[in-house]
Amino acid sequence: MLCPTVLGLLLASAVSLSSSAVILENGMPVLWVHTTGLVTDLPIQNGVLTPDPWHFLHRMSLYRLMIAATDPFMGSMGTNATDSPLWGLPLQLGWMLTSGRLADPTGATTCGLESGDTMCISTQSWWGCVNYYASALPFLSAAQQGFLGAGVQVQMQVPEGVTDYCTTYADCAAQYPDAMSTWDAFFQGLKSAAESELPENEKKDALLGLYWAAQMASTQASATCNAKQGHYSSAEVSFANSWQNSAEYVSAAHFHSNLENSAMFITPLPSRVLQATDSAPNIADLSQEENHTLSIFSWMSSVNSLLGGTLVRLWKSAMCSVSTRERGREMLGQLLLNPSFATNTFLSIITGMTTSC
């Protein structure tokens, strides 16, 4: 791993080359080449792995190690090396870094700022907190299920004085039993799928179902982060809530979050933290694509709220089979990436799809 100064220069250079969020470098997640692909490269104390999830490269390395360990069980996902659904996670973390969302929002420290340690993930960042539950928890589960080697024990480092994050499998399982049990089910399901006689498309759909169940359980566990939203503008909080709400749709559709698919959905996310005066689709320094994405996220969240949660319920009801979930994934792509795809068309199609279930 390179020194913080060099990494800071690389990060600043990458961000300056584009007004949109930077999530890829040479076809891989940002700074991927500087992460470790060996478990033994992580810090070890008294025979226990002690990664620091508050350092960007360490947290990104957790994803790299999980992807490598599970790839032999991902045959049903496709033939490409980047077809694992886990690839969406490092892309998401990279977007959080380059858009400034992992930095200290309180201004009390320079953690995550260009003027400080650019690789620092602030414990005060709502985004960094939420992502902890989608990085540390699955890594602890993967280790518990034997994917990192027999008998490997892990304890996450935590900054001095910070007490609101679980750090071991036992600790996290006690505090967040649903999240840890669903991650366990996903990793166990990978092993079972290798011996399954189901057709490949059904096997893929079943594994994606387990994966998204675990993702949603992590999201629910991350409700403990909500107080940290007080450090952000109302516009950023609204976007953050809409961003989380969108997971209800992609999870129900069993979205195949491989590298290619995830990049299409993450690239148009806002490339900076939103300010109180920002109002999509008229944010001047954001691209047309970013403004469109913000507008759609806001629309989906507002309609669902006005309908008392009916939009999400309709969507989940419509995603009742392998074929409808395939169609649902196509519709989400149209809605988010194609400005000419009308929102009323989206509503009418969902209503029609529920009748076929």
Side-chain angles (χ1 to χ4, degrees), residues 96-113:
M96 291 179 185
L97 176 77
T98 60
S99 66
R101 288 179 165 84
L102 299 179
D104 186 351
T106 69
T109 72
T110 59
C111 175
L113 300 178

Side-chain angles (χ1 to χ4, degrees), residues 249 299-300 303-304 307 310-312 314-315 318 331 335 341-354:
Y249 300 90
W299 173 82
M300 293 173 74
V303 169
N304 187 59
L307 297 177
T310 298
L311 184 59
V312 168
L314 274 174
W315 179 261
M331 284 177 57
L335 183 66
F341 187 78
T343 52
N344 59 347
T345 301
F346 180 74
L347 281 173
S348 63
I349 293 177
I350 294 176
T351 305
M353 287 173 69
T354 58

Side-chain angles (χ1 to χ4, degrees), residues 65-322:
L65 292 168
M66 279 193 288
I67 289 171
T70 56
D71 262 352
F73 303 88
M74 294 286 186
S76 63
M77 296 296 156
T79 57
N80 294 326
T82 55
D83 273 336
S84 166
L86 291 172
W87 279 102
L89 295 171
L91 288 184
Q92 184 171 265
L93 180 60
W95 163 71
M96 291 179 185
L97 176 77
T98 60
S99 66
R101 288 179 165 84
L102 299 179
D104 186 351
T106 69
T109 72
T110 59
C111 175
L113 300 178
E114 289 187 24
S115 58
D117 181 358
T118 56
M119 294 296 102
C120 175
I121 298 176
S122 173
T123 57
Q124 294 302 310
S125 164
W126 178 84
W127 296 93
C129 179
V130 168
N131 181 263
Y132 184 87
Y133 291 86
S135 55
L137 269 62
F139 188 82
L140 290 168
S141 175
Q144 181 71 14
Q145 299 306 319
F147 277 89
L148 304 179
V152 171
Q153 298 182 57
V154 183
Q155 179 163 11
M156 299 293 170
Q157 294 183 38
V158 63
E160 186 177 353
V162 177
T163 60
D164 48 351
Y165 294 95
C166 63
T167 59
T168 66
Y169 178 86
D171 187 15
C172 292
Q175 293 188 49
Y176 311 105
D178 289 344
M180 295 308 290
S181 64
T182 50
W183 279 114
D184 288 346
F186 167 66
F187 289 115
Q188 292 164 5
L190 287 175
K191 295 178 180 179
S192 300
E195 303 171 0
S196 172
E197 296 182 0
L198 284 173
E200 289 301 299
N201 69 321
E202 293 185 21
K203 191 186 300 185
K204 173 182 176 180
D205 184 73
L207 286 176
L208 288 173
L210 291 173
Y211 171 73
W212 281 107
Q215 278 278 64
M216 294 306 294
S218 277
T219 297
Q220 291 162 9
S222 72
T224 58
C225 304
N226 286 353
K228 301 181 192 299
Q229 287 192 339
H231 303 314
Y232 299 91
S233 70
S234 58
E236 180 72 3
V237 171
S238 178
F239 162 63
N241 292 336
S242 297
W243 173 79
Q244 278 201 324
N245 183 60
S246 71
E248 297 278 6
Y249 300 90
V250 295
S251 63
H254 294 183
F255 176 63
H256 184 190
S257 51
N258 61 10
L259 186 76
E260 181 181 3
N261 292 341
S262 296
M264 286 192 298
F265 279 87
I266 296 175
T267 297
L269 294 179
S271 53
R272 62 163 174 80
V273 177
L274 300 180
Q275 304 303 314
T277 55
D278 288 332
S279 179
N282 301 305
I283 306 176
D285 65 334
L286 296 187
S287 68
Q288 181 180 353
E289 291 76 17
E290 290 169 88
N291 272 287
H292 172 70
T293 299
L294 285 170
S295 296
I296 291 298
F297 272 25
S298 177
W299 173 82
M300 293 173 74
S301 182
S302 297
V303 169
N304 187 59
S305 179
L306 286 170
L307 297 177
T310 298
L311 184 59
V312 168
R313 288 196 296 271
L314 274 174
W315 179 261
K316 289 182 176 179
S317 297
M319 301 296 103
C320 60
S321 68
V322 174

